């Protein structure tokens, strides 16, 4: 069982930056896609950014131009660089890894809190 462990969350003022890290307990090449999701209080979990094993990326419209997802295969780690943070970015951020088989298998981290003050 591969484990995903997030770090890097915290409290930041509006306009500030944070970098989230997601460290996997095994090679991240086992995942076809890795991504970051977030869930704010009272809202559904939503996709923020994703990166394929080949390095292709996609982003939610709300974070395009501000967030960047990247991966370091040697360190088995995926990052989310978040710039120009806004109060509406406040949420618990979760790392996700997907393995495509007959049925997609999802792996989740425990989540890290990001709070952006006005």
């Amino acid at each position: 069982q591969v484990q995903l462990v997030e770090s890097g969350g915290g409290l930041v003022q509006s306009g500030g930056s944070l970098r989230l890290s997601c460290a996997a307990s095994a090679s991240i090449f086992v995942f076809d896609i890795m991504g970051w999701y977030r869930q704010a209080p009272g809202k559904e979990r939503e996709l923020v950014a994703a990166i394929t094993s080949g390095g292709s990326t996609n982003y939610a419209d709300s974070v395009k131009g501000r967030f960047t997802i990247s991966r370091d295969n040697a360190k088995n780690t995926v990052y989310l660089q978040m710039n120009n943070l806004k109060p509406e970015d406040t949420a618990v951020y979760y790392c996700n890894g997907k393995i495509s088989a007959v049925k997609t298998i999802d792996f989740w981290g425990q989540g890290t809190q990001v709070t952006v003050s006005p």
Side-chain angles (χ1 to χ4, degrees):
Q1 183 83 350
V2 180
Q3 293 185 327
L4 302 175
V5 179
E6 302 100 333
S7 61
L11 173 64
V12 65
Q13 289 187 331
S14 181
S17 298
L18 285 173
R19 188 177 80 156
L20 305 183
S21 299
C22 172
S25 60
S27 171
I28 58 176
F29 278 113
V30 302
F31 299 112
D32 297 292
I33 299 173
M34 294 197 73
W36 288 94
Y37 289 71
R38 67 186 180 188
Q39 187 166 20
K43 295 188 177 182
E44 292 186 355
R45 191 172 297 189
E46 63 174 356
L47 175 67
V48 176
I51 186 166
T52 68
S53 56
S56 298
T57 59
N58 71 285
Y59 298 91
D61 288 343
S62 60
V63 307
K64 282 181 181 176
R66 299 188 298 123
F67 291 11
T68 302
I69 189 170
S70 63
R71 56 192 288 157
D72 186 331
N73 297 325
K75 295 182 178 180
N76 294 322
T77 301
V78 174
Y79 303 98
L80 185 67
Q81 178 66 44
M82 305 185 294
N83 298 328
N84 190 22
L85 282 160
K86 304 176 181 181
E88 51 263 43
D89 295 317
T90 295
V92 178
Y93 284 69
Y94 296 91
C95 181
N96 170 266
K98 294 187 184 295
I99 298 176
S100 299
V102 175
K103 180 179 178 182
T104 298
I105 304 171
D106 282 290
F107 292 80
W108 293 96
Q110 81 286 353
T112 185
Q113 176 71 45
V114 171
T115 303
V116 184
S117 62

